[in-house]
């Protein structure tokens, strides 16, 4: 007669611990892969997005991307920062969150101005794409005087040694994006650090769910009119 080894039943404490652990893992994966909340720390996207706005980012708007870290921790064999597959293209005008190409510990939020193949140029603060001035209702310009030698005003900027020479537009390479903040005179963007990589796009900004005015008056300086605002 064959003896069967009896399985010792798990204690209630162990079952609860395993269940809670599994729930935490699923929550971390969901947060990393599907939706994530961000707080806006700078004014580069004003007036569309203000400092103190809390936004939700749709992390599957363009496909499923395996994050570089999960809850801030790299997982060997899992974390890659690459897309497994794409479900929709990135469009001009989308507001996206992406990893800064100059510092991978920083996330940026900007608007897509150019996609691969586009020819982009800024002339006296006005954006031109593929030879035409773009419709740019979200752009905010705070200055009137422009310099031909400053990337903020004219991109690519002219060479002071050859001021009469127009440098012409830049062409967005394959797999890259040209990004700009809506606050055109106060945004550190593609005019300064170059192109963003499409693989670094973490998702599309979708809605403001909370907004706190740090410089506001009163004990509870909330911007109630911004709650639930859909971003476009």
């Amino acid at each position: 007669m064959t003896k069967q080894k009896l399985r010792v039943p798990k204690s209630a404490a162990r079952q609860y611990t395993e269940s809670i652990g599994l729930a935490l893992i699923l929550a971390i994966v969901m947060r990393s892969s599907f939706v994530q909340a961000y707080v806006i720390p700078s004014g580069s996207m004003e007036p569309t997005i203000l400092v103190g706005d809390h936004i939700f980012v749709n992390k599957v708007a363009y496909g499923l991307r395996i994050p570089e870290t999960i809850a801030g921790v790299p997982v060997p064999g899992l974390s890659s920062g690459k897309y497994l597959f794409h479900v929709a293209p990135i469009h001009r005008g989308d507001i996206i969150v992406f990893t800064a190409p100059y510092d991978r510990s920083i996330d940026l939020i900007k608007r897509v101005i150019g996609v691969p193949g586009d020819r982009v140029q800024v002339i006296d603060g006005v954006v031109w794409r593929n030879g035409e001035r773009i419709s740019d209702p979200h752009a905010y310009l705070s200055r009137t005087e422009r310099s031909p030698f400053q990337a903020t005003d004219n991109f690519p900027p002219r060479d002071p040694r050859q001021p009469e020479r127009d440098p012409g537009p830049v062409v967005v390479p394959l797999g890259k994006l040209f990004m700009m903040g809506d606050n055109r005179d106060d945004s550190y963007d593609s005019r300064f650090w170059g192109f963003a990589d499409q693989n670094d796009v973490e998702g599309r900004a979708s809605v403001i769910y909370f907004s706190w005015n740090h410089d506001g008056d009163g004990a509870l300086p909330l911007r109630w009119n911004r709650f639930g605002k859909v971003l476009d």
Side-chain angles (χ1 to χ4, degrees):
M1 183 174 182
T2 304
K3 293 183 179 180
Q4 292 184 344
K5 189 175 181 180
L6 299 178
R7 176 180 294 179
V8 179
K10 297 178 182 179
S11 67
R14 182 178 175 184
Q15 292 183 45
Y16 279 120
T17 301
E18 290 180 353
S19 298
I20 293 173
L22 179 60
L24 286 174
I25 291 172
L26 289 175
I28 290 171
V29 172
M30 288 285 289
R31 178 182 179 275
S32 300
S33 302
F34 296 98
V35 67
Q36 189 166 345
Y38 289 83
V39 183
I40 304 304
S42 72
S44 69
M45 283 296 292
E46 291 181 349
T48 307
I49 305 176
L50 306 179
V51 175
D53 281 348
H54 293 58
I55 66 171
F56 281 130
V57 171
N58 181 353
K59 303 193 79 171
V60 292
Y62 306 116
L64 184 60
R65 179 179 182 268
I66 301 299
E68 293 183 53
T69 62
I70 295 179
V73 179
V75 180
L78 178 60
S79 305
S80 68
K82 306 295 183 183
Y83 275 85
L84 287 177
F85 58 84
H86 295 272
V87 297
I90 298 171
H91 294 100
R92 304 181 188 99
D94 286 356
I95 301 174
I96 64 174
V97 171
F98 57 100
T99 304
Y102 55 88
D103 186 342
R104 302 199 67 77
S105 66
I106 298 175
D107 289 332
L108 301 177
I109 181 167
K110 306 289 180 185
R111 190 180 295 276
V112 179
I113 298 299
V115 296
D118 281 343
R119 293 176 289 110
V120 179
Q121 187 170 14
V122 179
I123 303 174
D124 293 333
V126 176
V127 180
W128 292 72
R129 183 174 58 222
N130 300 328
E132 297 182 355
R133 178 174 178 168
I134 70 171
S135 174
D136 209 6
H138 302 285
Y140 172 69
L141 300 173
S142 57
R143 296 184 296 103
T144 54
E145 294 185 2
R146 300 288 165 184
S147 167
F149 311 115
Q150 299 294 327
T152 303
D153 305 326
N154 285 273
F155 179 83
R158 292 180 182 246
D159 186 340
R161 296 168 297 182
Q162 297 177 300
E164 72 288 347
R165 182 176 178 272
D166 183 354
V170 296
V171 179
V172 182
L174 185 67
K176 303 293 184 177
L177 300 166
F178 192 90
M179 310 299 303
M180 293 179 70
D182 286 354
N183 190 356
R184 297 293 163 74
D185 293 332
D186 190 17
S187 175
Y188 187 53
D189 50 38
S190 286
R191 291 170 292 180
F192 301 94
W193 43 252
F195 303 103
D197 195 304
Q198 289 187 348
N199 268 319
D200 288 338
V201 175
E202 298 178 21
R204 186 179 66 219
S206 57
V207 65
I208 299 170
Y209 69 90
F210 181 82
S211 185
W212 181 276
N213 185 359
H214 296 273
D215 298 322
D217 298 324
L220 200 62
L222 299 177
R223 303 186 184 104
W224 294 102
N225 63 322
R226 299 186 66 77
F227 284 41
K229 178 183 178 181
V230 177
L231 297 171
D232 60 10

